[in-house]
């Protein structure tokens, strides 16, 4: 009989200790909205930023000038999806597309890829050409070289200037199709410096042409 009483007292003591440690659910506790393993699995892994003094080049050296390196690294640090090599490929496509649309006087084709200032400047040139009765029959023969000449990042906006060295067959015709100037058989070496910009805070991934100039 004494043994039974002692055993009951030990069981009661253990029960009280277990209650004190775990407590009891009352139905008002805040449950985990997601399993703990999901929270760990979805935690973003942020790659480390390489030191610009020791890290490898953002883009092969033959595709950018030395002065553009710091700007490219700043843009890459602000936008993890940015690739200078991919940007340069896209810039070459844009160069050809925009020029061909401009030569043809088709504003609707180049409008999505240029800033409002460039659109207005192109529009004035097209209007002046039409007033003179001239039609451009230019052909892009080849893009010999495209290199990133400058890169900047400030206040969330990235700007990259690309130098294009291209061969263009330039011909101007009148409204009757007669050649006024140029020749399709002789390609003219052309050197342009185009600046593209993008607000990295924007969800729009497209870069816009914001400035055109002749390269030295």
């Amino acid at each position: 009989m004494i043994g039974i009483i002692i055993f009951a007292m030990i069981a009661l003591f253990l029960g009280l200790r277990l209650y004190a440690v775990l407590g009891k659910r009352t139905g008002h506790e805040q449950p985990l909205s997601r399993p703990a393993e999901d929270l760990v699995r979805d935690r973003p892994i942020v790659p480390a930023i390489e030191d610009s003094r020791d890290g490898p080049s953002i883009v092969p050296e033959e595709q950018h000038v030395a002065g553009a390196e710091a700007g490219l690294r700043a843009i890459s640090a602000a936008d993890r999806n940015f690739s200078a090599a991919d940007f340069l490929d896209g810039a070459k496509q844009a160069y050809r597309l925009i020029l061909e649309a401009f030569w043809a006087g088709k504003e609707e084709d180049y409008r999505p890829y240029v800033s409002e200032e460039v659109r207005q400047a192109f529009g004035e040139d097209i209007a002046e050409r039409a007033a003179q009765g001239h039609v451009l029959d230019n052909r892009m023969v080849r893009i010999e070289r495209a290199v990133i000449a400058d890169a900047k990042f400030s206040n969330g906006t990235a700007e990259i200037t690309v130098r294009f060295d291209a061969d263009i067959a330039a011909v101007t015709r009148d409204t009757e199709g007669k050649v006024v100037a140029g020749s399709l058989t002789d390609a003219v070496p052309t050197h342009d410096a185009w600046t593209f910009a993008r607000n990295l805070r924007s969800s729009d991934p497209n870069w816009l042409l914001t400035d055109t100039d002749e390269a030295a």
Side-chain angles (χ1 to χ4, degrees), residues 4-161:
I4 295 175
I5 293 174
I6 293 174
F7 178 78
M9 291 177 64
I10 293 174
L12 178 61
F13 174 76
L14 293 176
L16 291 175
R17 290 289 297 169
L18 184 62
Y19 181 90
V21 174
L22 299 181
K24 65 177 181 178
R25 297 190 63 83
T26 64
H28 296 285
E29 294 83 7
Q30 293 293 328
L32 283 174
S33 58
R34 300 170 57 191
E37 58 268 25
D38 286 353
L39 296 176
V40 174
R41 183 175 60 248
D42 291 350
R43 184 177 300 156
I45 300 176
V46 181
I49 301 175
E50 295 176 333
D51 190 325
S52 60
R53 296 168 297 181
D54 303 320
S57 175
I58 286 291
V59 67
E61 290 184 0
E62 66 273 12
Q63 294 182 348
H64 79 282
V65 301
E69 180 79 14
L72 289 174
R73 288 190 175 277
I75 294 171
S76 181
D79 181 3
R80 297 296 184 178
N81 295 319
F82 174 77
S83 165
D86 289 345
F87 168 85
L88 198 56
D89 288 340
K92 289 188 287 188
Q93 296 178 35
Y95 181 67
R96 180 185 294 272
L97 184 153
I98 293 172
L99 276 182
E100 290 178 347
F102 170 69
W103 293 334
K106 296 181 178 179
E107 180 182 315
E108 66 277 10
D109 287 350
Y110 66 72
R111 185 190 300 124
Y113 310 105
V114 303
S115 67
E116 180 61 21
E117 292 78 8
V118 172
R119 186 196 67 78
Q120 291 181 1
F122 280 8
E124 292 173 0
D125 286 346
I126 292 173
E128 182 179 354
R129 186 196 314 161
Q132 295 174 349
H134 292 167
V135 177
L136 295 184
D137 187 19
N138 295 359
R139 311 288 173 83
M140 176 73 70
V141 178
R142 68 181 63 85
I143 299 176
E144 292 282 0
R145 182 171 178 259
V147 60
I148 296 175
D150 193 19
K152 300 176 182 177
F153 179 68
S154 178
N155 296 325
T157 298
E159 290 186 355
I160 299 179
T161 299

